[in-house]
């Protein structure tokens, strides 16, 4: 097979580069990126080259701040927006489209906490004393019944019962068996305290 002269190859290559269009979403020769526009500040420059590391940009998420380019065409940030409103009875979350949400503690959120097994984290594989686990599980059942109850009076009675069970679990944590590791005990204390806090918040909404 006869090869084209080198001069012809060079002309064709140069023609290909000359025909490149920045901003058409096609990565042509000579382009490092092509995001479909010729605007700067989005990590792909007006000439379809990567903008330098640290260039300010917007990753289009309402949950990040101080967004910068990574030098390879990607905008992002490791700094997340804090949605903490310092209110114990709201659940904070952040949605990229519209930012922070502060939802009141409800039956669903309380049941999620009470439905998560205690034998996790530093207690994984450990035997949680029945005086703690049994009361934690009982509290979950009472809240579940409360969610299904028709009357507000019954709901309140059942949620109060759940709070009572969790307070007893707190008392049991203060008298733990010697075999229970300190790290596991600390996990149990946090879990029971969080569950009780949510249960009391739920009661305040009834």
């Amino acid at each position: 097979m006869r090869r084209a002269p080198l001069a012809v190859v060079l002309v064709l290559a140069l023609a290909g580069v000359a025909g490149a269009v920045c901003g058409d979403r096609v990565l042509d020769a000579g382009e490092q990126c092509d995001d479909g526009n010729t605007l700067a500040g989005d990590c792909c420059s007006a000439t379809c080259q990567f903008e330098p590391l640290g260039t300010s940009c917007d990753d289009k998420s309402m949950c990040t701040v101080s967004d910068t380019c990574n030098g390879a065409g990607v905008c992002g940030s490791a700094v997340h927006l804090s949605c903490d409103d310092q209110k114990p009875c709201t659940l904070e979350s952040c949605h990229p489209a519209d930012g922070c949400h502060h939802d009141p503690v409800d039956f669903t959120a309380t049941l999620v906490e009470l439905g998560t097994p205690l034998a996790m984290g530093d207690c994984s594989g450990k035997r949680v004393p029945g005086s703690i686990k049994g009361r934690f599980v009982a509290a979950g059942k009472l809240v579940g019944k409360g969610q299904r109850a028709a009357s507000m009076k019954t709901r309140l009675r059942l949620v109060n019962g759940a709070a009572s069970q969790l307070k007893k679990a707190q008392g049991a944590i203060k008298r733990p068996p010697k075999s229970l590791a300190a790290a596991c005990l600390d996990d149990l204390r946090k879990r029971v305290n969080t569950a009780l806090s949510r249960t009391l918040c739920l009661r305040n909404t009834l």
Side-chain angles (χ1 to χ4, degrees):
M1 179 177 178
R2 187 177 179 182
R3 295 184 177 180
L6 180 59
V8 175
V9 173
L10 289 174
V11 169
L12 291 174
L14 290 172
V17 173
V21 178
C22 179
D24 63 355
R25 295 191 181 278
V26 177
L27 192 63
D28 299 306
E31 295 180 345
Q32 291 181 322
C33 56
D34 195 322
D35 58 0
N37 65 66
T38 53
L39 301 175
D42 57 4
C43 299
C44 186
S45 74
T47 57
C48 286
Q49 303 300 303
F50 293 145
E51 293 189 280
L53 175 69
T55 301
S56 180
C57 60
D58 183 357
D59 66 0
K60 307 303 180 185
S61 172
M62 295 288 289
C63 297
T64 58
V65 295
S66 302
D67 304 331
T68 56
C69 299
N70 71 348
V74 178
C75 179
S77 175
V79 183
H80 293 273
L81 179 68
S82 174
C83 293
D84 189 359
D85 61 1
Q86 303 297 315
K87 296 179 180 178
C89 289
T90 57
L91 300 174
E92 297 88 7
S93 61
C94 192
H95 299 192
D98 55 9
C100 291
H101 286 226
H102 301 96
D103 301 311
V105 171
D106 56 9
F107 274 104
T108 299
T110 306
L111 286 170
V112 166
E113 183 62 36
L114 288 167
T116 304
L118 289 175
M120 297 180 66
D122 286 315
C123 291
S124 181
K126 305 293 192 302
R127 181 182 177 279
V128 178
S131 56
I132 302 171
K133 180 181 178 180
R135 286 162 177 156
F136 191 86
V137 171
K141 290 180 179 179
L142 287 168
V143 172
K145 288 180 180 179
Q147 185 182 40
R148 298 187 296 272
S151 74
M152 191 60 69
K153 183 178 180 179
T154 302
R155 287 187 172 192
L156 184 58
R157 176 177 59 79
L158 290 166
V159 170
N160 276 330
S164 178
Q165 288 292 329
L166 291 168
K167 288 176 181 177
K168 290 178 181 178
Q170 281 183 327
I173 289 175
K174 294 178 181 178
R175 303 180 299 276
K178 295 180 179 180
S179 60
L180 198 62
C184 176
L185 180 63
D186 190 50
D187 261 9
L188 292 175
R189 184 180 296 109
K190 290 177 181 176
R191 286 292 312 283
V192 171
N193 288 348
T194 299
L196 177 58
S197 176
R198 288 197 179 182
T199 302
L200 294 175
C201 287
L202 173 62
R203 184 183 66 184
N204 292 340
T205 67
L206 301 178

